[in-house]
């Protein structure tokens, strides 16, 4: 096979409208909703080559390629998806979808609430991993995809891939669960709670109805993102990248930026607060916190996974302390003890949780090898 | 004896595995044995290896592989889940031999191990001549060897006795020739089928 890799080229977001009500895990019902998605490659005649890629907390449906009007708008997993790339669009029909509750065009807090005529804001119901999967299944129906060749995702996206195997075992043949966990630890929930408190206590939050006030809780969002960033990187990587490097030549003896790491975090926080919606951030952190398929089985993950029929690739990264290798191994052993096909790779990487987005040669070789073994 | 995989101890191991079994291959390398047993016997197999290139090779080979360090033990696996737990020519690379054997027989009904016999005549001769043995089955120099435990057939059987491990079957070889007479002296490889107790 030609090993030259290419971009998928220009991406075109599409919108599907659903008039069938959906009842979410928290009990709320949305009478109608929209889902925005992108596709790459061609669905084959037998409709057996579709791969769903689920996004994480701050991701979206724009996986690969770029938009015609913006050469900078490269998809967030462009290094993985395209002709000749590990997820090869010459073989697979790849689908990315903005989750319900998102802020990239799917129905979410920024959408008008038909009951009030105002944006939903914080009244938009919490959307769980199960809810994401249920609505992804409806998009699959619209696209004529009876079963996915594979569903893959990293972090919160990996949780969705795992949930697919439990909720629709007959509709998924392979699951790629990357840098994920079968549930968050108390420490992990704690980080999410600090992020939420930063947003909720920002005076510009206005109980989640900041749109009407023409403001955005920038301070809360940037604090949430700064905290998140610290936890997505590793101690080693931060030491290597920033160390105690100063922004200027000498200490300032004030509360402006002294160290490079401060500058980096402020930049990342500002950038994120400029484009991401605070209410969506709140929802996504709750989706993470609530995910616990073993919860309904008295904490017995093996019992929870008994419904699955798919084959699995589970991947973790050595320095990922937010979604540690140990958590991935729990999934792996739960699958083994259900006699399910599973391979597990623990990738040596210095980049912490964010490693799953990087194009490490060995990591991508593992993904490529796995996808080559997925029959279509 | 045919040499299906270029590793003739695989033939012996394959003989002891029944169709459709659940098996675990510790130190599975590129997954050749699992692939063979999957294709020929329809086993449900899982390999364990901690070498990234081996993990990749297993995935390419279409076999299940779980990456972790065997020295960390098998605590993730449930008691008696596997019919056979195999360790082919790797026991000498594991530091905690006793625990490993106990763990293999905890998670498996039977264990199958093969190892190079350090007591083989050529190895004794090398030592007698004042040098550590280097041979076809022990191809490493003392300073670059992955082997950390050096034992003979007699040593191994004594340990099984002490640990209450039942030796259900033993086959000893020199090259590909079956050795029946004084295997501790004449065999370069031994393969065992082991069970718990009695």
């Amino acid at each position: 096979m030609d090993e030259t890799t290419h971009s998928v080229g220009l991406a075109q977001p599409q919108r599907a409208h659903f008039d069938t009500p959906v009842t979410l895990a928290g009990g709320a019902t949305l009478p109608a909703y929209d889902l925005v998605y992108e596709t790459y490659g061609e669905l084959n005649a037998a409709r057996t080559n579709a791969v769903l890629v689920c996004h994480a907390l701050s991701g979206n449906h724009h996986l690969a390629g770029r938009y015609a009007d913006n050469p900078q708008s490269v998809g967030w997993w462009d290094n993985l998806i395209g002709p000749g790339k590990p997820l090869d669009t010459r073989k697979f029909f790849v689908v990315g979808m903005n989750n319900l509750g998102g802020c990239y065009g799917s129905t979410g807090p920024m959408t008008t609430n038909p009951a009030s005529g105002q944006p939903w804001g914080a009244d938009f119901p919490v959307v769980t991993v199960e809810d994401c999967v249920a609505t992804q299944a409806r998009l699959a129906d619209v696209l004529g995809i009876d079963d996915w060749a594979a569903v893959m995702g990293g972090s919160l996206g990996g949780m969705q891939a795992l949930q697919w195997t439990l909720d629709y075992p007959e509709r998924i043949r392979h699951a790629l669960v990357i840098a994920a966990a079968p549930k968050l630890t108390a420490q992990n929930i704690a980080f999410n709670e600090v992020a939420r408190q930063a947003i909720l206590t920002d005076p510009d939050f206005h109980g989640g109805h900041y749109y009407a006030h023409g403001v955005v809780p920038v301070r809360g969002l940037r604090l949430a993102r700064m905290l998140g960033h610290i936890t997505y990187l590793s101690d080693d990587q931060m030491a290597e990248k920033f160390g105690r490097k100063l922004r200027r030549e000498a200490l300032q003896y004030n509360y402006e930026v002294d160290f490079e790491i401060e500058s980096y975090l402020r930049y990342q926080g500002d950038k994120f607060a400029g484009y991401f919606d605070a209410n969506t951030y709140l929802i996504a952190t709750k989706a993470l916190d609530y995910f616990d398929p073993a919860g309904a089985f008295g904490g017995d993950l093996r019992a929870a996974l008994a419904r699955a029929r798919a084959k699995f690739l589970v991947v973790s990264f050595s320095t990922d302390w937010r979604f540690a290798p140990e958590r991935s191994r729990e999934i792996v052993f739960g699958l083994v003890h259900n006699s399910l096909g599973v391979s597990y790779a623990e990738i040596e990487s210095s980049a912490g949780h964010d490693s799953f987005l990087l194009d490490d040669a060995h990591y991508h070789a593992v993904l490529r090898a796995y996808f080559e073994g997925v029959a279509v | 004896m045919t040499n299906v995989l270029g590793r003739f101890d695989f033939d012996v191991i394959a003989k002891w595995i029944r169709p459709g079994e659940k098996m675990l291959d510790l130190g599975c390398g590129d997954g050749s044995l699992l692939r063979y047993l999957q294709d020929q016997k329809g086993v449900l197999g899982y390999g364990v290896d901690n070498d990234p290139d081996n993990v990749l090779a297993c995935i390419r080979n279409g076999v299940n592989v779980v990456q972790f360090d065997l020295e960390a033990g098998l605590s993730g696996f449930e008691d008696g889940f596997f019919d056979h737990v195999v360790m082919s020519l790797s026991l000498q690379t594991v530091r905690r031999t006793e625990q490993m054997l106990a763990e293999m027989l905890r998670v498996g009904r039977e264990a199958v191990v093969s190892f190079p016999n350090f007591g083989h005549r050529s190895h004794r001769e090398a030592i007698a001549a004042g040098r550590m043995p280097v041979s076809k089955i022990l191809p490493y120099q003392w300073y670059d060897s992955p082997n950390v435990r050096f034992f003979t057939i007699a040593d191994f059987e004594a340990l099984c006795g002490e640990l209450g491990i039942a030796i259900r079957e033993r086959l000893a070889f020199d090259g590909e020739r079956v050795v029946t007479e004084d295997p501790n002296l004449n065999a370069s490889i031994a393969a065992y089928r082991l069970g718990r107790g009695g």
Side-chain angles (χ1 to χ4, degrees), chain A residues 302 313 329 332-333 335-346 362 365-366 369-370, chain B residues 22 44 46 52-53 55-56 59-60 63-68 74-78 81-82:
Chain A
R302 174 185 176 160
L313 176 68
R329 281 197 290 266
V332 171
F333 287 119
L335 295 169
V336 168
H337 293 131
N338 278 294
S339 302
L340 291 163
V342 55
S343 281
Y344 170 62
E346 195 172 309
H362 176 65
V366 165
Y370 193 82
Chain B
K22 282 182 194 154
L44 174 65
Y46 299 88
D53 292 332
V55 171
L56 178 58
I59 294 172
R60 286 200 178 121
V63 301
N64 300 313
V65 61
V66 179
Q67 183 177 353
F68 67 84
L74 305 179
S75 58
F77 295 110
E78 292 176 1
F81 183 74
F82 295 99

Side-chain angles (χ1 to χ4, degrees), chain A residues 237-255:
Chain A
Q237 187 199 25
M238 270 201 187
E240 190 183 310
K241 199 168 168 183
F242 304 104
R244 292 179 55 86
K245 265 183 278 180
L246 296 178
R247 191 86 179 119
R248 297 181 198 161
E249 282 181 8
L251 296 174
Q252 301 298 302
Y253 293 95
N254 61 31
Y255 303 107

Side-chain angles (χ1 to χ4, degrees), chain A residues 10-12 66-71 73:
Chain A
L10 295 182
Q12 187 65 53
R66 58 184 178 80
Y67 297 131
D69 59 355
N70 181 3
S73 61

Side-chain angles (χ1 to χ4, degrees), chain A residues 347-369:
Chain A
I347 311 290
E348 197 66 33
S349 165
S350 66
H353 187 53
D354 275 350
S355 300
F356 86 86
L357 295 167
L358 307 180
D359 62 350
D360 174 84
H362 176 65
Y363 167 45
H364 272 199
V366 165
L367 295 178
R368 179 185 293 277

Side-chain angles (χ1 to χ4, degrees), chain A residues 39-365:
Chain A
T39 70
Y40 320 89
E42 300 290 331
L43 185 61
N44 63 13
R47 299 166 187 266
T48 55
N49 68 333
V51 174
L52 175 67
V53 177
C54 305
H55 69 77
L57 195 151
S58 60
N60 56 34
H61 53 285
H62 182 41
L63 308 176
R66 58 184 178 80
Y67 297 131
D69 59 355
N70 181 3
Q72 302 302 312
S73 61
V74 178
W76 58 270
W77 223 343
D78 191 79
N79 63 28
L80 180 82
I81 301 161
K85 293 183 182 179
L87 179 44
D88 194 334
T89 49
R90 294 172 302 185
K91 176 180 178 184
F92 294 108
F93 175 67
V94 179
V95 180
M97 185 193 104
N98 185 213
N99 283 334
L100 189 68
C103 55
Y104 288 95
S106 291
T107 297
M110 297 164 78
T111 313
T112 302
N113 178 353
S116 67
Q118 299 294 313
W120 277 94
D123 296 335
F124 197 85
V126 168
V127 178
T128 64
V129 168
E130 293 91 322
D131 297 330
C132 290
V133 167
T135 47
Q136 287 160 357
R138 290 194 177 180
L139 180 65
D141 296 340
V142 167
L143 296 175
I145 297 162
D146 292 335
D147 65 323
W148 299 100
V151 178
M152 93 179 288
S155 193
L156 179 58
M159 291 172 166
Q160 292 160 54
L162 179 56
Q163 191 66 39
W164 258 98
T165 69
L166 308 180
D167 290 351
Y168 300 96
E170 71 292 349
R171 296 189 70 176
I172 168 172
R173 304 200 300 275
H174 294 268
L176 291 87
V177 180
I178 298 166
K183 64 182 175 203
L184 294 196
T185 59
Q187 185 193 50
N188 211 332
I189 294 169
F191 284 123
N192 283 341
E193 174 57 5
V194 175
R196 281 191 295 269
Q197 285 299 318
I199 292 167
L200 293 167
T201 59
D202 185 321
D204 284 339
F205 184 64
H206 295 290
H209 296 287
Y210 43 88
Y211 316 105
H213 294 78
V215 292
V216 171
V218 167
R219 283 162 291 184
L221 254 182
R222 74 196 283 271
L223 281 175
R225 186 59 167 178
M226 288 166 88
L227 176 70
H229 246 285
I230 297 167
T231 68
Y232 303 150
L233 302 178
S234 72
D235 190 19
D236 286 352
Q237 187 199 25
M238 270 201 187
E240 190 183 310
K241 199 168 168 183
F242 304 104
R244 292 179 55 86
K245 265 183 278 180
L246 296 178
R247 191 86 179 119
R248 297 181 198 161
E249 282 181 8
L251 296 174
Q252 301 298 302
Y253 293 95
N254 61 31
Y255 303 107
E256 297 306 311
V257 167
D258 276 315
F259 296 96
E260 283 285 3
I261 182 64
E262 296 173 302
S263 167
Y264 172 81
L265 287 177
R266 289 184 190 198
Y267 170 76
Q268 291 294 339
D270 287 340
K271 194 172 80 166
F272 188 68
Y275 66 78
F276 205 79
D277 180 63
N279 284 313
T280 289
Y281 198 91
L282 295 174
I283 290 170
T285 59
K286 278 292 176 187
L288 282 163
D289 291 0
Y290 287 173
F291 183 69
D292 181 14
F297 295 83
D300 184 346
L301 185 60
R302 174 185 176 160
L305 298 178
R307 289 168 285 165
R309 292 293 173 269
K311 290 182 174 163
F312 288 78
L313 176 68
V314 178
V315 179
S316 73
F317 298 89
S318 58
T319 53
D320 184 353
W321 56 280
R322 188 116 193 229
F323 291 81
E326 185 54 38
R327 303 278 85 74
S328 283
R329 281 197 290 266
E330 289 170 15
I331 299 173
V332 171
F333 287 119
L335 295 169
V336 168
H337 293 131
N338 278 294
S339 302
L340 291 163
V342 55
S343 281
Y344 170 62
E346 195 172 309
I347 311 290
E348 197 66 33
S349 165
S350 66
H353 187 53
D354 275 350
S355 300
F356 86 86
L357 295 167
L358 307 180
D359 62 350
D360 174 84
H362 176 65
Y363 167 45
H364 272 199

